[in-house]
Amino acid sequence: MTTATVSPVETSRSLKSRILGAPSAGPLLVLIGFCLIFALSNPRFLATHNLSIILQQTVIIGVLAIGQTLVILTAGIDLAVGAICVLGTIVAGKLVNLGYDPVLSMGFAILLCTAAGLAAGGLVSGLRLPPFIVTLGILGILTAALRLISEGGAFPVRDPFLAWTGNTMKLGGFVLTYGVLIMFALYAIVWYLLNQTKWGRHVYAIGNNTEAARLVGIPVRRHLLSVYLLAGLIYGIAAWLALGRIPNADPNAMQSANLDSITAVVIGGTSLFGGRGGLIGTLIGALIVGVLRNGLTLAGIDPLWQDLVTGILVIIAVALDQMSRRKS
């Protein structure tokens, strides 16, 4: 009896094909490509100070993109991510400025953001309304309500607890905020939920085929509700991180949060049609958005052009996803 042996060359090829075939391999190559382009065009780009800034600037969109990933994996979309996050900053800021305990104020604000996610999930799962319409409606409601609450203007929020996530620590040559560490911790926790639990497998199943998931006994409505609830909780945490980065509550803030979070998710390899993708790709996608904006800023490109480039990237990513689906 003979046993087949695998040569080192074949093993190397197999490992190489697995790495290149990973869903996050494409986004990672794009990230490396952008870094090379900006590094060659501006030597300041690779300075540890600038790389630290990129990480800090990525925090809010990176965390919002976690919730957006969960919703998109179920074949939905959330157009209220920025508004729910701003809700958290306005409510926490107002309560603290009125003299309430900052910990309780932030906790209540996060609870409200979670309730907003729960409301969206209830309408999507209970009444079976399209996520696009539901979250668009919530966006309109919150935009008007926040302007009424804040009387149309921004106001400063000066409290050590609310600003704590913006405190810095040195790691080698990098200066990281606690918000960056919280972002990575959230990615690790939600990655575990999606990849190592039955709940996560059910999320992918619902995104692939809702009716098939229902027929095999998965409680689709309950799982959709839990996805939107968790997303709302994450948006609330993002509000705390936002106050740490900029100690200011502004009802007109985060105008591009919806586009940027969707861009991070889609560029990261998660399909807008649901059921495919993951958080590692989303993190890389968020870094791509951060690198792109930072590199273009260093090059002196107007922010309006940056939004234009971001929109083009979304269209390209969705087109590539559609072509890959047709091939499979």
Side-chain angles (χ1 to χ4, degrees), residues 95-326:
L95 291 175
V96 166
N97 288 353
L98 289 172
Y100 289 96
D101 181 79
V103 177
L104 293 178
S105 298
M106 194 68 247
F108 181 70
I110 292 174
L111 188 64
L112 270 184
C113 293
T114 307
L118 184 64
L123 292 170
V124 171
S125 63
L127 299 181
R128 299 187 181 182
L129 298 178
F132 178 90
I133 299 299
V134 170
T135 56
L136 183 63
I138 291 176
L139 168 63
I141 293 168
L142 288 180
T143 300
L146 291 172
R147 286 175 181 169
L148 290 171
I149 294 171
S150 62
E151 299 176 351
F155 55 90
V157 182
R158 297 186 180 93
D159 179 81
F161 177 76
L162 296 188
W164 177 81
T165 59
N167 292 343
T168 59
M169 60 176 289
K170 285 192 175 182
L171 188 64
F174 290 90
V175 178
L176 302 178
T177 62
Y178 292 121
V180 172
L181 302 181
I182 291 171
M183 177 185 73
F184 285 130
L186 286 172
Y187 268 93
I189 292 168
V190 181
W191 177 89
Y192 178 84
L193 289 175
L194 280 175
N195 294 276
Q196 303 297 322
T197 68
K198 184 168 69 173
W199 179 84
R201 290 191 291 273
H202 288 175
V203 168
Y204 280 99
I206 291 168
N208 271 316
N209 192 318
T210 304
E211 190 57 34
R214 185 179 289 110
L215 290 175
V216 298
I218 295 174
V220 173
R221 292 187 182 184
R222 192 172 70 196
H223 272 76
L224 280 175
L225 193 64
S226 68
V227 163
Y228 282 87
L229 184 146
L230 179 57
L233 172 63
I234 291 168
Y235 303 152
I237 296 172
W240 187 21
L241 303 183
L243 287 172
R245 175 150 180 77
I246 303 174
N248 198 52
D250 184 356
N252 300 308
M254 302 198 190
Q255 295 290 323
S256 64
N258 294 334
L259 176 62
D260 285 347
S261 64
I262 293 170
T263 302
V265 175
V266 175
I267 290 178
T270 296
S271 173
L272 269 180
F273 306 99
R276 294 198 309 181
L279 276 185
I280 294 176
T282 296
L283 177 58
I284 295 172
L287 290 172
I288 289 173
V289 174
V291 164
L292 184 64
R293 289 190 178 277
N294 179 271
L296 293 176
T297 299
L298 287 177
I301 305 298
D302 189 281
L304 292 176
W305 285 100
Q306 296 177 24
D307 291 337
L308 185 145
V309 173
T310 303
I312 291 172
L313 282 177
V314 173
I315 294 173
I316 293 172
V318 174
L320 291 173
D321 175 55
Q322 184 77 320
M323 287 188 288
S324 70
R325 277 183 169 265
R326 285 174 182 169

Side-chain angles (χ1 to χ4, degrees), residues 3-191:
T3 57
T5 58
V6 181
S7 69
V9 174
E10 290 176 341
T11 303
S12 177
R13 286 176 180 172
S14 175
L15 181 61
K16 185 178 179 181
S17 63
R18 285 181 189 177
I19 293 172
L20 294 177
S24 55
L28 182 59
L29 291 174
V30 172
L31 176 61
I32 293 171
F34 275 133
C35 288
L36 287 174
I37 291 169
F38 291 130
L40 291 172
S41 62
N42 194 321
R44 288 185 298 161
F45 178 80
L46 288 180
T48 53
H49 173 70
N50 187 60
L51 295 178
S52 299
I53 289 174
I54 292 174
L55 280 176
Q56 293 171 28
Q57 291 175 337
T58 303
V59 164
I60 299 170
I61 293 303
V63 172
L64 292 176
I66 297 174
Q68 187 74 263
T69 301
L70 293 172
V71 173
I72 289 178
L73 281 174
T74 62
I77 196 164
D78 196 339
L79 300 179
V81 293
I84 295 175
C85 183
V86 172
L87 169 68
T89 64
I90 295 289
V91 170
K94 273 285 184 182
L95 291 175
V96 166
N97 288 353
L98 289 172
Y100 289 96
D101 181 79
V103 177
L104 293 178
S105 298
M106 194 68 247
F108 181 70
I110 292 174
L111 188 64
L112 270 184
C113 293
T114 307
L118 184 64
L123 292 170
V124 171
S125 63
L127 299 181
R128 299 187 181 182
L129 298 178
F132 178 90
I133 299 299
V134 170
T135 56
L136 183 63
I138 291 176
L139 168 63
I141 293 168
L142 288 180
T143 300
L146 291 172
R147 286 175 181 169
L148 290 171
I149 294 171
S150 62
E151 299 176 351
F155 55 90
V157 182
R158 297 186 180 93
D159 179 81
F161 177 76
L162 296 188
W164 177 81
T165 59
N167 292 343
T168 59
M169 60 176 289
K170 285 192 175 182
L171 188 64
F174 290 90
V175 178
L176 302 178
T177 62
Y178 292 121
V180 172
L181 302 181
I182 291 171
M183 177 185 73
F184 285 130
L186 286 172
Y187 268 93
I189 292 168
V190 181
W191 177 89

